């Protein structure tokens, strides 16, 4: 059965155009996957960075909460230290966030040790005075949390994440 010349031209035309259309479709799908993966990476980073703040806040609250026992404080301290170590990769060691977290780690570490040492048992008055001087030189933990929140603003700005 012979093919009509117009039909043969139409088939040749389709065979020439279809690969081009498929190429555009594949390119569009690749671009859409790129955008999706880029946004997912941004969201994952946002979540990991926010988790650092969340664990820091839990440690802060555990220290000041009178209804939590030492076990809860130790657990939140362990979670915080893990988040602190991770923060060097998420923010960089030179970032203001890492520096604020370092100050929080050092201050709360000292305060927990101070409370444990001078909380209930008898102690040497001279040693207490020396430790109290160091305690007085430490920044207020609330101010430390505020400085951390300020340092985190550019990292956790969700409008920037969406761009």
């Amino acid at each position: 059965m012979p093919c009509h010349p117009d039909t043969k031209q139409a088939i040749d035309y389709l065979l020439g155009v279809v690969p081009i259309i498929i190429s555009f479709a594949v390119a569009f799908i690749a671009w859409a996957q790129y955008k999706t993966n880029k946004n997912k990476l941004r969201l994952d980073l946002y979540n990991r960075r926010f988790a650092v703040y969340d664990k820091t806040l839990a440690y802060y609250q555990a220290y000041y909460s009178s209804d939590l026992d030492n076990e809860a404080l130790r657990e939140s301290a362990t979670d915080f230290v893990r988040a602190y170590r991770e923060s060097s990769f998420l923010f960089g060691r030179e970032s203001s966030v890492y520096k604020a977290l370092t100050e929080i780690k050092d201050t709360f570490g000292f305060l927990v040790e101070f409370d444990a040492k001078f909380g209930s048992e008898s102690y040497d008055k001279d040693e207490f005075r020396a430790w109290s001087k160091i305690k007085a030189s430490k920044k207020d933990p609330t101010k430390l949390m505020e400085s951390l929140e300020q340092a985190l603003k550019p990292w956790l700005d969700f409008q920037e994440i969406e761009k």
Side-chain angles (χ1 to χ4, degrees):
M1 180 159 133
C3 241
H4 193 303
D6 290 339
T7 308
K8 186 172 178 355
Q9 271 186 328
I11 291 173
D12 288 342
Y13 178 74
L14 278 175
L15 288 175
V17 172
V18 168
I20 295 171
I21 293 171
I22 290 173
S23 297
F24 279 116
V26 168
F28 175 76
I29 291 169
W31 176 80
Q33 285 180 330
Y34 165 76
K35 293 294 283 179
T36 301
N37 289 335
K38 185 177 174 183
N39 288 336
K40 183 177 179 341
L41 175 64
R42 286 180 174 171
L43 183 60
D44 288 346
L45 283 172
Y46 176 88
N47 288 336
R48 298 291 294 265
R49 290 171 178 154
F50 191 81
V52 169
Y53 172 70
D54 189 42
K55 290 176 183 175
T56 306
L57 185 59
Y59 187 34
Y60 173 80
Q61 290 172 331
Y63 178 75
Y64 281 110
S65 181
S66 59
D67 61 333
L68 288 176
D69 59 4
N70 285 337
E71 181 61 34
L73 181 60
R74 274 194 298 277
E75 187 178 318
S76 65
T78 301
D79 289 344
F80 168 74
V81 169
R82 195 171 292 123
Y84 168 73
R85 300 300 301 160
E86 183 179 4
S87 72
S88 68
F89 301 107
L90 291 170
F91 304 104
R93 288 186 180 264
E94 299 303 316
S95 71
S96 57
V97 174
Y98 187 77
K99 291 174 183 173
L101 287 168
T102 301
E103 197 167 11
I104 288 170
K105 176 186 69 68
D106 294 344
T107 299
F108 275 107
F110 176 83
L111 292 175
V112 168
E113 192 174 341
F114 181 89
D115 292 346
K117 188 172 188 77
F118 302 110
S120 59
E121 62 186 58
S122 61
Y123 48 82
D124 180 30
K125 301 291 183 194
D126 291 332
E127 187 178 16
F128 177 75
R129 267 186 245 126
W131 278 63
S132 293
K133 280 185 181 180
I134 296 170
K135 183 179 178 180
S137 71
K138 298 285 183 184
K139 278 189 181 176
D140 177 36
T142 303
K143 297 288 184 198
L144 291 174
M145 288 300 293
E146 289 172 3
S147 69
L148 174 64
E149 289 165 358
Q150 282 299 107
L152 278 170
K153 276 187 179 181
W155 296 95
L156 297 180
D157 184 2
F158 208 77
Q159 280 75 32
E160 286 294 316
I161 298 297
E162 289 179 335
K163 288 183 183 175

